[in-house]
Amino acid sequence: PAPAPARARPSAAERAQIDAQPVPHAGNLAGALLIMMKAEAELSAGTPAESALIRAKVESIETKGDARAYIASVMEKVGIAREQRRLAAQGR
């Protein structure tokens, strides 16, 4: 089969419209947020206060834009942790 045609990137106005949409209570995005919450919890010190803060942060997400920002922030933390592990392994 022929490859699917490339999708055009949304314009700034389209992105703003998408970002304003509410996060569905079920489905892929809801599941991705739970995975990101778990990843952030694993990267934290694991104190009850930190766990409560992470949970509150995820529970406060209302729009797809909020979700996109949260996912980006967690992925940045994941990248930093990977780099720290790589540097630590080089130092052995």
Side-chain angles (χ1 to χ4, degrees), residues 54-83:
I54 293 166
R55 194 170 27 261
K57 201 182 316 181
V58 172
E59 289 172 355
S60 74
I61 294 171
E62 295 182 358
T63 66
K64 289 182 178 181
D66 295 341
R68 187 166 52 88
Y70 176 69
I71 290 168
S73 74
V74 174
M75 292 308 297
E76 183 177 346
K77 291 176 186 180
V78 169
I80 291 168
R82 281 185 181 151
E83 182 64 13

Side-chain angles (χ1 to χ4, degrees), residues 27-69:
N28 292 338
L29 182 54
L33 288 171
L34 293 176
I35 291 168
M36 291 294 108
M37 183 174 73
K38 182 177 184 284
E40 186 175 22
E42 289 175 358
L43 293 171
S44 74
T47 65
E50 269 191 308
S51 295
L53 181 64
I54 293 166
R55 194 170 27 261
K57 201 182 316 181
V58 172
E59 289 172 355
S60 74
I61 294 171
E62 295 182 358
T63 66
K64 289 182 178 181
D66 295 341
R68 187 166 52 88

